[in-house]
Amino acid sequence: MKKYIKFFIRFAVTVLLILYLFKKIDITHVLNTLFLINPLIFLSASFLYILSSYISTLRWKIFLPQQHLKVSELFSLYLIGSFFNNVLPGIIGGDLIKIFMIKEKAGLKKALASVFMERYTGLFALLLIGFAFFCLFYKNLPQHRLMWSVPLSFLSFILASLFLLLLGKIKFFKEFHDYVLSFTRKQILQAIFYSFLVQFTIIVSVYVIFLGIDISVSFIEVCIFLPIIILISMLPISVSGIGVREWCFIIFFGKSFGKAQVVAVSLLWFMSQVFASLVGGVEYLRFKKTLDIKKK
């Protein structure tokens, strides 16, 4: 019941943010800009999202080294998780789907630990990039209260990591804790390297969309601002970051390129991710059919 209440609150916040947004900008201008995008550019952005998912899969595989799971299988599962996160947000978590589908081969605790570590290293890389850019380019960033969510998120991550280390003393979490700490420094560094590649791929996808609607944005600006935008959009206050992400694009890029233009970029980026995630829906139907046959 609590889950549905939280989802309803986030949905309500999303609707309010979008309604307020469309009061402040010209909707017609946004729609016209959306239709200006070259279909090949849009497909390229979607392809880059799928590529980032594949790199994320390679990161996930690092934490399942001894399991009989091929990269191709894990890639399908990663796409399925993306489908539930982007197309059906709030119905069921994409990570839960991944855990459920590998628990028979990996075991529940190892499945949990692998998904946790895949997400953990990805979040660490994103937070590190966002915090580094916050510190290095603070004077060039918009002076907005939302900016402080970046260092606060980084600090919260460090404190949460210390708390997780203490959980190892509790018997119930000991096996999970020991498995997480069993990974070598090389594995962790490799996963973080893949995480940086994921972020770079995402940055390129947004840059491509900017160019696709004839906005001559600096690639360096996108590199600096986008990780911070992603971090702020991850705050659990709206569905899939909708509304929050668009306002962030206005805060960071609105003065230079116009509010309607940058909102269109934000929406096109989100739409390219949703479009790419539909591949995960096809994969889900294929996997579900396979599971049904095995049960029979």
Side-chain angles (χ1 to χ4, degrees):
M1 187 65 182
K2 288 183 180 179
K3 179 182 176 181
Y4 293 108
I5 293 172
K6 287 180 181 178
F7 177 75
F8 176 77
I9 292 171
R10 290 170 68 177
F11 181 78
V13 170
T14 303
V15 172
L16 290 172
L17 284 171
I18 291 296
L19 289 175
Y20 185 65
L21 179 69
F22 286 148
K23 279 187 176 182
K24 294 292 182 179
I25 61 174
D26 185 355
I27 304 175
T28 306
H29 192 178
V30 174
L31 293 175
N32 288 338
T33 306
L34 291 177
F35 288 117
L36 277 176
I37 189 76
N38 186 321
L40 289 177
I41 295 292
F42 182 81
L43 290 174
S44 297
S46 296
F47 170 77
L48 286 167
Y49 179 77
I50 293 174
L51 178 60
S52 72
S53 297
Y54 182 74
I55 299 170
S56 297
T57 303
L58 297 177
R59 180 177 64 196
W60 186 18
K61 178 60 181 172
I62 292 170
F63 302 113
L64 289 165
Q66 298 174 349
Q67 311 306 322
H68 300 294
L69 288 160
K70 297 178 182 178
V71 171
S72 57
E73 290 179 298
L74 293 176
F75 183 42
S76 292
L77 296 178
Y78 207 96
L79 291 173
I80 291 169
S82 297
F83 172 75
F84 278 90
N85 285 333
N86 292 324
V87 182
L88 301 172
I91 304 300
I92 185 170
D95 288 339
L96 289 177
I97 288 287
K98 291 188 287 186
I99 290 167
F100 174 78
M101 288 187 164
I102 67 168
K103 69 176 184 178
E104 288 186 11
K105 289 186 177 181
L108 180 58
K109 288 188 178 179
K110 287 185 178 181
L112 278 166
S114 69
V115 171
F116 169 79
M117 286 301 294
E118 188 268 325
R119 288 295 189 182
Y120 181 86
T121 51
L123 181 59
F124 171 74
L126 177 60
L127 285 167
L128 186 61
I129 294 169
F131 183 67
F133 285 150
F134 177 85
C135 295
L136 292 171
F137 302 99
Y138 176 73
K139 290 183 180 179
N140 298 324
L141 297 176
Q143 298 303 303
H144 195 282
R145 290 178 184 177
L146 274 175
M147 297 302 103
W148 290 98
S149 65
V150 176
L152 286 174
S153 297
F154 188 72
L155 178 61
S156 298
F157 180 84
I158 293 171
L159 293 174
S161 298
L162 293 172
F163 176 72
L164 288 171
L165 287 174
L166 294 174
L167 280 180
K169 296 180 180 180
I170 302 173
K171 188 177 180 181
F172 180 78
F173 294 101
K174 193 175 188 312
E175 188 178 340
F176 174 85
H177 175 269
D178 291 345
Y179 182 70
V180 166
L181 293 183
S182 69
F183 298 112
T184 64
R185 183 181 297 179
K186 182 181 177 181
Q187 287 173 301
I188 300 296
L189 290 176
Q190 190 179 359
I192 292 172
F193 172 73
Y194 280 136
S195 298
F196 283 123
L197 279 182
V198 168
Q199 295 307 318
F200 179 75
T201 306
I202 292 170
I203 287 168
V204 172
S205 71
V206 175
Y207 182 67
V208 163
I209 291 172
F210 268 111
L211 297 182
I213 56 174
D214 296 324
I215 296 179
S216 299
V217 67
S218 164
F219 183 71
I220 300 299
E221 272 190 310
V222 181
C223 287
I224 295 168
F225 295 154
L226 193 64
I228 298 174
I229 290 173
I230 293 171
L231 279 174
I232 296 172
S233 301
M234 286 172 64
L235 295 173
I237 57 177
S238 71
V239 178
S240 297
I242 299 171
V244 176
R245 180 174 48 250
E246 283 66 46
W247 277 109
C248 284
F249 266 81
I250 288 174
I251 291 169
F252 284 96
F253 297 106
K255 286 185 179 179
S256 300
F257 307 109
K259 293 179 180 180
Q261 291 278 84
V262 298
V263 166
V265 171
S266 178
L267 291 174
L268 282 166
W269 178 34
F270 177 66
M271 289 162 62
S272 70
Q273 292 179 326
V274 171
F275 180 75
S277 298
L278 293 176
V279 178
V282 175
E283 287 297 290
Y284 175 69
L285 293 175
R286 186 173 69 84
F287 261 80
K288 191 173 183 297
K289 186 177 180 181
T290 303
L291 289 172
D292 290 340
I293 291 171
K294 285 182 179 179
K295 285 179 183 178
K296 289 178 181 179

